[in-house]
Amino acid sequence: MSCDSAGKLVDNKISWRGNSALKDGSQAKLDLTKGMYDAGDNMKFGFPMAFTATVLSWSILEYGDQMDHVGQLDAAQDSLKWITDYLINAHPSENVLYIQVTVFCNFRFFAS
């Protein structure tokens, strides 16, 4: 899941990935830098990310011992925390929820 991580990457093991989205949320004075990109298009969607967190949580509960046995439990827990940190920050107050975060992207550029 590290390939889809946004924000300031800590202990980055993927040579071709760098930090990204470091100003997400700044216009609203929020830190929306973490989270996961959706489909490689530099967009963060809250509901698919929440689904991912739910399934990942369930997987850790059901298969955490097997994940630990193959050395992947810490990585799964780190990914889950990365997502939940973002989701918590995306709900800064009652009746406020940021569900989509992106920079302007001209998709016609990709279709050329």
Side-chain angles (χ1 to χ4, degrees):
M1 294 188 70
S2 298
C3 291
D4 292 327
S5 296
K8 181 154 179 59
L9 303 179
V10 180
D11 193 27
N12 184 14
K13 294 177 176 69
I14 302 168
S15 62
W16 51 268
R17 275 303 314 275
N19 299 329
S20 62
L22 298 179
K23 294 183 180 181
D24 280 1
S26 63
Q27 290 179 328
K29 295 184 176 47
L30 296 172
D31 179 6
L32 299 178
T33 59
K34 290 185 176 181
M36 302 284 182
Y37 290 121
D38 181 80
D41 55 10
N42 296 326
M43 296 189 75
K44 295 184 274 187
F45 295 106
F47 293 129
M49 203 179 320
F51 175 80
T52 299
T54 301
V55 173
L56 184 55
S57 298
W58 191 356
S59 298
I60 291 170
L61 288 172
E62 290 288 325
Y63 305 107
D65 55 337
Q66 289 97 331
M67 290 177 174
D68 191 34
H69 182 73
V70 297
Q72 293 299 308
L73 181 58
D74 288 342
Q77 291 171 328
D78 290 346
S79 291
L80 180 59
K81 182 165 180 7
W82 197 260
I83 294 170
T84 55
D85 285 350
Y86 169 84
L87 292 172
I88 289 167
N89 288 349
H91 183 42
S93 63
E94 187 176 348
N95 299 320
V96 176
L97 176 64
Y98 291 85
I99 59 170
Q100 178 178 328
V101 177
T102 187
V103 295
F104 173 75
C105 182
N106 184 349
F107 285 100
R108 288 184 294 163
F109 172 77
F110 296 106
S112 301

